[in-house]
Amino acid sequence: MIRPPFALARRFVAGETLPEAIEAVRGLNGRGLSASLDILGENVSDPAAAAAAREDYVRLLDEIARSGVDANISIKLTMLGLDRGEGPCEENLRAVLAAARERGTFVRIDMEGSRYTAATLALFHRTFPEFPDSGVVIQSYLYRSRADVAELNRSGARVRLVKGAYKEPPSIAWPRREDVNRSFDELAEALIGGGRYPAIATHDDARIEHARAAAERLGVPRTAYELQMLYGIRRARQETLAREGHPVRIYVPYGRDWFPYFYRRLRERKENVFFVLRNLFRS
Ligand code: FDA
């Protein structure tokens, strides 16, 4: 396949290299926002590629510590070899978690497509007691998420709540947007009321308002939970929320393998396509 030029993705992807990503985080920090850095890339089947991804995460942790930026990391278990089984993946995951612990950095395990949900949660529950400065992601479109949130709240784990970005069948996920939203509101309330420093990750004002109202009703201060958005999306809103006293964290993806992430953002919302096209014709 012909590789499209990176300029197309610049709005949503901080750069193709680590120094570019660190510069982008510095910019966010200057605007009162913290970050979670994500190295782009997905499934690897070869053990050497999983080991290389593990080393990339450790290099990223080193660079966060060296540069002093306000950032943690988000990781994908399929990059650490989950397709080869939980065992080999766990070894890589533990190495990343140990490196993060040494440097005092929080690690978030992203949630991928539904083939990986059970394994991701199993690995998280297995490693969490030893590495409590880690957290996981729950997708409100999955029917199983209510039970997963209850279990994670019982464990005292930090959860990022999202709607979910993958195409899933109606046998396991709500097909209608209204149901995904309703589920999101219920789970946000359960996390804010009974979880540990949850992250409400959405660009949807109605969801943010619902979470804020729930927190107020439950007497939970704004500083006891985080709002999260993606790099390049609703930038003015990110700053307004931070000025209103919310901790706001921006998910900052970077790396040469940016196309699948970029494509998901375009598929999600036609305005994102128009944005890219408008800038393409301007430049
Ligand atoms: P949705 O796309 O339904 O949009 C709802 C409303 O938000 C729109 O109607 C509009 O008002 C507003 N909006 C959205 N985009 C906008 C734009 N570009 N400009 C202006 N307004 C806009 N998914 C996953 O499966 N696993 C994961 O680990 C993660 N991780 C993750 C981290 C973070 C920090 C975020 C924010 C998101 C994720 N996601 C994710 C992605 C998530 O599942 C979801 O696909 C996107 O966040 C899009 O859903 P929204 O909640 O923003 O609402």
Side-chain angles (χ1 to χ4, degrees):
M1 194 177 91
I2 299 171
R3 201 178 146 76
F6 176 69
L8 279 184
R10 190 165 286 287
R11 167 74 181 223
F12 304 109
V13 178
E16 291 191 288
T17 66
L18 178 53
E20 286 174 283
I22 294 287
E23 262 327 287
V25 172
R26 263 193 235 289
L28 293 170
N29 290 169
R31 291 163 46 216
L33 309 165
S34 61
S36 192
L37 278 156
D38 162 53
I39 305 177
L40 291 168
E42 276 159 51
N43 307 48
V44 303
S45 46
D46 161 23
R54 180 185 73 203
E55 292 316 308
D56 285 345
Y57 283 133
V58 174
R59 239 188 318 278
L60 169 58
L61 288 163
D62 276 338
E63 197 50 29
I64 291 173
R66 199 197 57 76
S67 63
V69 293
D70 180 359
N72 61 34
I73 68 169
S74 288
I75 67 173
K76 286 201 171 46
L77 295 187
T78 58
M79 279 177 71
L80 293 176
L82 188 53
D83 283 323
R84 291 181 52 243
E86 287 182 29
C89 179
E90 182 165 347
E91 204 178 301
N92 289 323
L93 171 62
R94 283 181 180 277
V96 174
L97 291 170
R101 184 170 57 190
E102 262 171 44
R103 294 156 183 80
T105 305
F106 176 82
V107 177
R108 176 80 63 185
I109 302 174
D110 282 347
M111 190 56 81
E112 303 178 68
S114 57
R115 340 186 347 222
Y116 303 109
T117 312
T120 301
L121 287 170
L123 279 167
F124 174 73
H125 281 292
R126 237 174 10 248
T127 51
F128 176 68
E130 207 181 317
F131 300 100
D133 212 13
S134 62
V136 74
V137 177
I138 289 291
Q139 297 154 324
S140 77
Y141 61 21
L142 293 184
Y143 303 143
R144 59 172 289 162
S145 291
R146 186 198 286 232
D148 289 332
V149 161
E151 191 181 1
L152 289 160
N153 277 355
R154 276 196 299 276
S155 313
R158 278 173 61 176
V159 172
R160 174 202 294 151
L161 178 64
V162 302
K163 290 187 186 177
Y166 299 84
K167 192 147 183 51
E168 303 292 1
S171 52
I172 59 163
W174 302 104
R176 294 188 326 157
R177 186 173 285 264
E178 307 86 85
D179 293 320
V180 176
N181 287 342
R182 185 186 37 74
S183 165
F184 192 98
D185 292 345
E186 282 171 17
L187 298 176
E189 194 158 340
L191 288 166
I192 288 172
R196 178 162 75 100
Y197 195 62
I200 308 303
T202 179
H203 313 98
D204 187 341
D205 278 331
R207 308 286 72 74
I208 295 171
E209 284 318 313
H210 188 279
R212 296 215 285 192
E216 247 168 67
R217 198 166 1 92
L218 295 164
V220 173
R222 289 183 173 181
T223 48
Y225 62 100
E226 225 170 48
L227 298 177
Q228 297 191 350
M229 291 195 189
L230 300 177
Y231 184 78
I233 300 188
R234 307 211 64 192
R235 292 192 291 206
R237 188 79 183 117
Q238 297 168 3
E239 283 186 46
T240 312
L241 289 164
R243 274 200 301 275
E244 288 171 2
H246 290 284
V248 179
R249 187 176 299 276
I250 308 305
Y251 185 94
V252 180
Y254 74 95
R256 284 187 52 76
D257 195 8
W258 48 265
F259 191 74
Y261 175 88
F262 172 63
Y263 181 70
R264 274 205 296 281
R265 299 288 82 80
L266 296 190
R267 208 187 50 195
E268 222 158 55
R269 195 172 156 80
K270 64 179 182 312
E271 284 83 346
N272 289 343
V273 178
F274 295 142
F275 178 88
V276 167
L277 291 175
R278 216 169 37 240
N279 284 280
L280 186 65
F281 291 116
R282 246 187 228 153
S283 53

